[in-house]
Amino acid sequence: MIKVNKEGQVWVFAEQHLGKIEDTSLELMGRARELANKLGVQVGAVLLGSSVKNAADMLVHYGADTVYMGEHPLLEHYQTSSYSKILYDVIQKYEPQIMLFGATPVGRDLAPHVASAVKAGLTADCTDLQIGRHEIKKTGEVYDNLLFQIRPAFGGNIIATIINYDRWPQMATVREGVMPMPEPDGRRKGGIVEIKVSLSHADLVVEILDEHRRDKTVNLKASRIIVAGGAGVGSRENFRLIWDLANCLGAVPGASRAAVDLGFIDRDHQVGQTGTTVRPSLYIAAGISGAVQHQAGMSDSKKIIAINNDPDAPIFNVAHYKIVGDLNEVIPAMIKAIKEKV
């Protein structure tokens, strides 16, 4: 735990792989910039790896005022022990007031280790981050400019706002796609602070002999139109309807977690809090009830069409166009109408 430092920067852990910054980290740079502007402080990015100087420059273009860069051959591959030790040291030295991580496999492993080491709190899988004021009613104590860490809780039945007013830094992880990607500014100037890294093989508990990385088979975030199916589609075979409608529209098929868990479609297509957050021009939800976790990943779509035979389905609360009916009848009719227009 560090002292409450109101002058501390807003930090982002800049996750990189082979020198390429992960999208989630760049997305967080945009929100970190907004938070820092409200607090009147600077944005810092912590970048660890081997030969990552070019990535440091990119972080400046995306909003960092200072990049804390640690380079060492033994940092080429992520390892919990080495990365968490370095982060612990730089947090103790520079005392940021906010520390953000992407909710990637690396971020989900690293953030709790760092939080535990510095004895700070951590909120996982936030869907929003704001700066706000909090009063403890019982004592009348008021805390200004705290990080509001917002996320679904209790099975998605409520949206919780979590604060940490005394065990700093305020730490949170945020899933990919939750924050809009900022536009880079190649004219921005920032500073680079080199972190002195002293590591030996004895400091690493495992030796990485080879690395295999599987990229996603679909890019939901880049799609202008998404046709998503839920458990109401009924079966993997019937999910063909979702694919057919998507093909007619030049769209990408998506799915709720329930559909993925039932094996209707691959997990790369999952939309929602535990999948990908999307903001397409058109989102068609068929047979999706619309739990809070799913809405968290698609409610910012410009237009939403929902198809469901339950008129009380929660998905209709966020839909712009509501079709109450059997998707097995509605979707073929939509496909027929679209083909007749082409």
Side-chain angles (χ1 to χ4, degrees):
M1 182 174 69
I2 62 173
K3 69 179 182 184
V4 174
N5 178 18
K6 293 286 186 179
E7 305 301 318
Q9 296 180 344
V10 178
W11 276 13
V12 174
F13 171 68
E15 182 181 340
Q16 59 82 29
H17 184 257
L18 298 178
K20 181 181 181 299
I21 303 292
E22 296 288 332
D23 281 356
T24 314
S25 298
L26 297 178
E27 292 162 5
L28 283 176
M29 293 302 302
R31 181 51 60 94
R33 184 76 266 165
E34 294 174 8
L35 299 174
N37 289 345
K38 288 185 178 179
L39 295 168
V41 300
Q42 293 193 328
V43 174
V46 183
L47 175 65
L48 305 179
S50 176
S51 303
V52 290
K53 174 64 171 56
N54 290 337
D57 294 335
M58 176 182 287
L59 289 167
V60 172
H61 298 162
Y62 275 85
D65 298 302
T66 305
V67 178
Y68 300 87
M69 182 179 70
E71 289 188 308
H72 193 283
L74 293 180
L75 293 176
E76 180 177 2
H77 300 288
Y78 169 76
Q79 290 207 35
T80 309
S81 57
S82 54
Y83 274 59
S84 60
K85 178 181 183 304
I86 294 169
L87 271 177
Y88 171 82
D89 290 341
V90 293
I91 287 173
Q92 294 291 333
K93 182 174 182 179
Y94 296 102
E95 298 180 336
Q97 60 177 296
I98 294 172
M99 180 87 223
L100 305 176
F101 297 80
T104 62
V106 168
R108 286 179 167 175
D109 179 69
L110 180 60
H113 276 85
V114 175
S116 175
V118 299
K119 295 182 171 57
L122 171 68
T123 303
D125 287 350
C126 291
T127 54
D128 197 6
L129 299 170
Q130 300 287 341
I131 299 297
R133 180 176 186 268
H134 177 70
E135 178 182 358
I136 300 178
K137 301 295 184 185
K138 189 174 182 180
T139 63
E141 292 175 273
V142 175
Y143 298 90
D144 290 318
N145 292 331
L146 289 178
L147 179 66
F148 284 7
Q149 302 156 61
I150 302 164
R151 57 154 296 164
F154 294 103
N157 293 314
I158 64 169
I159 298 295
T161 298
I162 299 165
I163 59 166
N164 169 14
Y165 54 81
D166 60 352
R167 304 189 75 83
W168 283 22
Q170 302 162 93
M171 297 178 61
T173 68
V174 179
R175 292 189 61 81
E176 180 183 3
V178 170
M179 306 299 176
M181 179 70 78
E183 288 294 328
D185 181 355
R187 299 167 300 178
R188 286 196 83 255
K189 302 294 182 184
I192 296 177
V193 175
E194 295 192 12
I195 302 168
K196 185 179 180 181
V197 178
S198 179
L199 286 174
S200 68
H201 287 284
D203 296 314
L204 305 179
V205 295
V206 297
E207 181 181 2
I208 297 175
L209 303 178
D210 199 1
E211 182 181 24
H212 297 272
R213 185 181 175 90
R214 174 186 173 274
D215 292 326
K216 287 186 176 180
T217 57
V218 61
N219 187 355
L220 287 169
K221 289 194 302 181
S223 179
R224 291 183 63 252
I225 305 175
I226 295 174
V227 179
V233 176
S235 68
R236 186 179 182 88
E237 292 70 28
N238 207 38
F239 215 83
R240 188 70 247 169
L241 282 172
I242 303 298
W243 285 91
D244 290 344
L245 181 56
N247 289 336
C248 279
L249 294 169
V252 170
S256 67
R257 177 175 176 173
V260 171
D261 288 347
L262 288 166
F264 295 173
I265 193 170
D266 187 80
R267 191 167 298 279
D268 288 351
H269 294 263
Q270 184 178 326
V271 174
Q273 187 188 2
T274 52
T276 301
T277 298
V278 297
R279 299 178 182 81
S281 298
L282 176 61
Y283 188 89
I284 301 176
I288 295 176
S289 62
V292 170
Q293 295 93 330
H294 187 76
Q295 292 186 23
M298 48 66 73
S299 60
D300 287 338
S301 303
K302 291 184 175 61
K303 293 295 178 188
I304 299 170
I305 299 174
I307 307 166
N308 204 296
N309 56 15
D310 177 4
D312 298 321
I315 192 69
F316 287 139
N317 295 331
V318 296
H320 300 93
Y321 301 98
K322 308 167 186 179
I323 303 174
V324 179
D326 185 346
L327 64 89
N328 295 298
E329 299 174 0
V330 175
I331 291 180
M334 292 175 72
I335 293 172
K336 183 172 182 288
I338 293 166
K339 288 183 175 178
E340 288 175 353
K341 292 284 186 183
V342 176

